[in-house]
Amino acid sequence: MTADRMIAVEGVSKRYGSIQAVDDLSFEVRRGEVVGFLGPNGAGKTTTMRMLTGFIPPTDGTIRMAGHDVFRDGRAARSAVGYLPETPPLYPEMTVRGFLGFVASIKDVKRSDRRDSVDRALERCGLTEVRKRIIGQLSKGFRQRVGLAQAIVHEPQVLVLDEPTVGLDPIQIREIRDLILGLAAPDQGREQQTVILSTHILPEVEALCQRVVLIDRGRKSLDRSLADLTAGGDRLEDVFARVTSADAAETEPRGRV
Ligand SMILES: Nc1ncnc2c1ncn2[C@@H]1O[C@H](COP(=O)(O)OP(=O)(O)O)[C@@H](O)[C@H]1O
Ligand SMILES: [Mg+2]
């Protein structure tokens, strides 16, 4: 195991009753990589991300985050990871700053460091001006910034972002995309951030990611660098159409026979 492997997924499966949501999935993400995790609806992206972040256990296989086994060493693994879930658990009645302070405390940020950590997350996510506002009164784009801020407030080594721009308008999409680019970039002596993000938006992949892992009905169907994928002049859209089952969005994943 090299110290450079920040995400190591080995033979991971997840079954829900008869539904095989994730099927013998293996992939790695190295330190400083930004990887796009793609696949049609129902492919198993969210399920995989929930396993990476320790929210649900795999049925089979092992996951290490920043070198920590997510289930044997859950606390260390979780503190190494920042997670923006599909539906971020925001507390609509809290102020932005109050909420981030609360998250910092649950994420074990030392009391003496909390104020600085929160101020830094506010600043990095463009929230300083709205820090005293009630979350429920913010626009969707700003609420998504709060979602990102809660993911980074403890300065995790790995970021797991589940469809970070879903449901936003084009302007907000661009703002969030730029924000993610900024969060991923080396900053104030910090190295490039390791990120895995799921998305449906191909320009987003091209703008943000160096590599693509594509899953289809719970199985990995592609794992290539973006440079490789587009080297032959292929459009990403066409590459993905070739490796994705045509009716994947309309059919259930393989059941168990
Ligand atoms: N808690 C659950 N119980 C039963 N089935 C689930 C559950 N969560 C997800 N699934 C099923 O697992 C499959 C993968 O879902 P999901 O991981 O949400 O896909 P994606 O995020 O790629 O759209 C889908 O068929 C979905 O219906
Ligand atoms: Mg999903």
Side-chain angles (χ1 to χ4, degrees):
M1 157 76 54
T2 78
D4 258 7
R5 266 196 262 171
M6 299 304 277
I7 302 180
V9 174
E10 271 178 47
V12 165
S13 296
K14 181 70 184 183
R15 249 187 330 270
Y16 292 110
S18 63
I19 293 177
Q20 187 77 46
V22 174
D23 191 1
D24 195 19
L25 180 66
S26 301
F27 67 89
E28 289 177 10
V29 178
R30 296 183 163 275
R31 190 186 295 277
E33 270 191 308
V34 179
V35 169
F37 192 43
L38 281 85
N41 285 331
K45 303 180 296 295
T46 295
T47 302
T48 302
M49 288 179 147
R50 299 188 78 202
M51 293 191 283
L52 295 181
T53 51
F55 276 82
I56 55 170
T59 313
D60 261 310
T62 58
I63 300 172
R64 294 174 75 83
M65 299 296 277
H68 309 287
D69 186 293
V70 172
F71 281 87
R72 276 193 309 228
D73 197 4
R75 195 183 177 104
R78 276 193 298 277
S79 76
V81 176
Y83 179 32
L84 176 70
E86 239 177 352
T87 334
L90 303 177
Y91 288 67
E93 73 287 357
M94 287 180 99
T95 63
V96 173
R97 167 182 245 160
F99 172 65
L100 293 177
F102 165 69
V103 173
S105 68
I106 1 180
K107 298 269 179 89
D108 288 339
V109 176
K110 273 197 309 200
R111 184 177 282 275
S112 56
D113 295 339
R114 262 176 230 162
R115 177 183 283 266
D116 282 352
S117 301
V118 169
D119 285 348
R120 213 177 122 67
L122 286 167
E123 192 199 312
R124 294 182 78 194
C125 294
L127 289 166
T128 306
E129 312 268 88
V130 300
R131 66 192 182 281
K132 294 178 181 159
R133 300 265 303 271
I134 304 290
I135 292 172
Q137 292 171 1
L138 297 175
S139 69
K140 205 159 182 198
F142 270 88
R143 286 204 301 272
Q144 195 65 338
R145 287 168 186 252
V146 177
L148 283 165
Q150 66 77 37
I152 63 159
V153 72
H154 59 306
E155 305 204 355
Q157 293 175 272
V158 183
L159 275 183
V160 178
L161 311 176
D162 196 354
E163 302 208 30
T165 59
V166 76
L168 301 180
D169 70 35
I171 308 253
Q172 295 168 331
I173 288 178
R174 207 155 100 193
E175 285 171 0
I176 294 294
R177 191 180 298 166
D178 289 346
L179 176 53
I180 294 169
L181 265 179
L183 294 180
D187 172 56
Q188 295 191 8
R190 268 161 257 262
E191 60 194 7
Q192 163 92 27
Q193 175 83 50
T194 309
V195 183
I196 183 166
L197 70 108
S198 67
T199 177
H200 281 294
I201 306 172
L202 297 184
E204 195 154 294
V205 177
E206 298 190 284
L208 295 171
C209 307
Q210 291 123 39
R211 185 155 61 86
V212 167
V213 172
L214 190 139
I215 61 168
D216 186 20
R217 304 189 193 195
R219 283 177 174 263
K220 188 166 84 171
S221 57
L222 183 86
D223 185 346
R224 295 263 293 281
S225 76
L226 208 60
D228 257 19
L229 281 173
T230 48
D234 274 356
R235 288 163 50 211
L236 268 189
E237 212 182 321
D238 299 330
V239 177
F240 293 152
R242 278 203 299 277
V243 294
T244 304
S245 48
D247 57 351
E250 274 73 47
T251 55
E252 283 295 296
R254 274 185 290 269
R256 250 182 88 184
V257 261

